[in-house]
Amino acid sequence: GGWLLDRFGSRSVFLIAAVITLGAFQVAAGATDVVTFAVAGAVGGGTLGALGFYHITQTTAVRISLGSTDRAIAILTIWGAFASAIYMPIAAILVEPLGWRMTLRVLTVSAGFFLAVGAFVITTKTAAMPRTRNLLGRSEEHTSELQSH
């Protein structure tokens, strides 16, 4: 996730996370065999973990809040903790009337929606992206226009 964030900015990372997470968990929710469920669940969970958690979101928050990075991280951490306190009870409430498959679908649609909103509202691709190593291990600079909405 970090390499993608450095290379392409937050918009691409959040969009990739939204599409793959949503698609994989929808496949898992409809799976009729254990292998499909396990593979789709691993892809969805792995993608969400790699592209949607604190190592990506905190870096993004810092990049868009250069004047008050400590405040940005504090707000993000509070909202992240709040989300956990909301999603778990919602899952428990939904699973009884809807079943686990529809509950998984509802929760992943909401997660995909919020990742997509983040992708369209926030971008961290700047004219001076951090120096990084590409997949071959070579150092490279990234340049592009600063885009903010």
Side-chain angles (χ1 to χ4, degrees):
W3 180 83
L4 289 172
L5 186 64
D6 287 348
R7 176 88 177 175
F8 302 108
S10 60
R11 178 164 291 153
S12 297
V13 172
F14 291 151
L15 275 176
I16 291 167
V19 170
I20 294 175
T21 299
L22 180 60
F25 279 132
Q26 294 304 311
V27 169
T32 57
D33 63 276
V34 163
V35 173
T36 302
F37 175 78
V39 170
V43 169
T47 301
L48 186 58
L51 303 179
F53 278 84
Y54 286 115
H55 66 290
I56 299 296
T57 57
Q58 284 186 346
T59 303
T60 299
V62 166
R63 288 181 182 175
I64 64 172
S65 305
L66 296 177
S68 58
T69 57
D70 54 345
R71 180 180 162 93
I73 289 174
I75 291 169
L76 174 66
T77 302
I78 290 167
W79 277 105
F82 183 65
S84 298
I86 297 296
Y87 266 74
M88 300 268 297
I90 288 175
I93 291 167
L94 292 178
V95 79
E96 285 298 319
L98 300 179
W100 71 266
R101 291 177 189 271
M102 185 56 72
T103 298
L104 180 58
R105 286 189 171 112
V106 168
L107 294 177
T108 57
V109 165
S110 69
F113 171 78
F114 288 113
L115 285 164
V117 166
F120 289 106
V121 173
I122 302 165
T123 186
T124 60
K125 194 165 184 180
T126 66
M129 294 300 284
R131 216 168 169 56
T132 187
R133 294 199 174 273
N134 65 21
L135 294 176
L136 300 174
R138 296 185 188 121
S139 272
E140 53 187 37
E141 283 283 336
H142 303 293
T143 58
S144 68
E145 296 283 326
L146 175 63
Q147 305 168 10
S148 62
H149 299 279

